[in-house]
Amino acid sequence: MKLSANEEYGLRCMVRLAYAGFEGPGLTIPEISQAEGVSPAYAAKILRVLRKGGFVKAARGKEGGYTLAYPAESIVIGDVMEALGGRLFESDFCDSHTGQAAICTRSVDCSVRSLWRAVQVAVDQVLSKATLRDLLQNEEEMNTWVRTIPGPNGIRVLQ
């Protein structure tokens, strides 16, 4: 499994905007693209997805640019990731990966499907607790934050 470039750079663009502040002046596409090391066209594509998802606002004109649509502490990373690329495992996954048959040969009893569901639950658990504000921490602080995420029945998922 890999994160897509859209997800990685989209999240980086969101962090860049969060550093600029919720009510601060907007950042332009050239400013964001240069700061994150992506082409202006690619930054524009990502920002369009984020705007359609309701995470950023765009203003035109001399004082224009992109800003967060909500304060960083109100933006859940799981929601952003879903808008940028979707979930790892959707409930209809098996319907679109049937092989040459009309339905998957393992549609009744599938250990693989159980594994992907468990992985999705773990990912959802972490991403639903993380906000954009959390990502404004440095790496050491974020590592500490990650270790505090409780799992099912209070058991920590990550040590």
Side-chain angles (χ1 to χ4, degrees):
M1 289 181 275
K2 294 181 181 181
L3 290 175
S4 72
N6 279 353
E7 294 159 339
E8 171 65 19
Y9 290 115
L11 200 51
R12 286 172 50 177
C13 287
M14 291 292 293
V15 170
R16 178 68 51 192
L17 291 170
Y19 278 127
F22 171 61
E23 296 189 2
L27 297 178
T28 65
I29 288 173
E31 289 171 330
I32 295 168
S33 71
Q34 182 177 13
E36 294 307 324
V38 298
S39 72
Y42 192 54
K45 175 187 168 190
I46 291 169
L47 289 163
R48 189 171 29 258
V49 171
L50 293 169
R51 186 179 51 76
K52 286 183 178 182
F55 301 105
V56 302
K57 298 184 295 186
R60 296 178 187 240
K62 185 179 178 186
E63 301 295 319
Y66 285 85
T67 58
L68 295 177
Y70 304 97
E73 59 272 9
S74 300
I75 299 174
V76 177
I77 299 304
D79 296 338
V80 175
M81 296 299 282
E82 190 166 344
L84 289 167
R87 298 163 46 100
L88 293 173
F89 180 80
E90 296 287 351
S91 59
D92 64 350
F93 179 86
C94 296
D95 297 336
S96 59
H97 293 83
T98 60
Q100 295 178 344
I103 62 170
C104 179
T105 58
R106 296 192 175 270
S107 62
V108 175
D109 183 21
C110 183
S111 58
V112 175
R113 180 175 49 227
S114 296
L115 174 65
W116 294 138
R117 277 190 195 134
V119 168
Q120 186 62 59
V121 166
V123 168
D124 288 345
Q125 185 171 355
V126 173
L127 295 181
S128 69
K129 289 179 175 40
T131 67
L132 188 56
R133 170 66 186 95
D134 294 320
L135 293 181
L136 297 180
Q137 302 176 85
N138 66 37
E139 189 171 2
E140 183 178 333
E141 292 167 331
M142 194 63 194
N143 283 333
T144 300
W145 179 90
V146 167
R147 285 191 292 273
T148 65
I149 299 171
N153 302 320
I155 300 167
R156 277 198 207 128
V157 175
L158 304 170
Q159 297 296 328

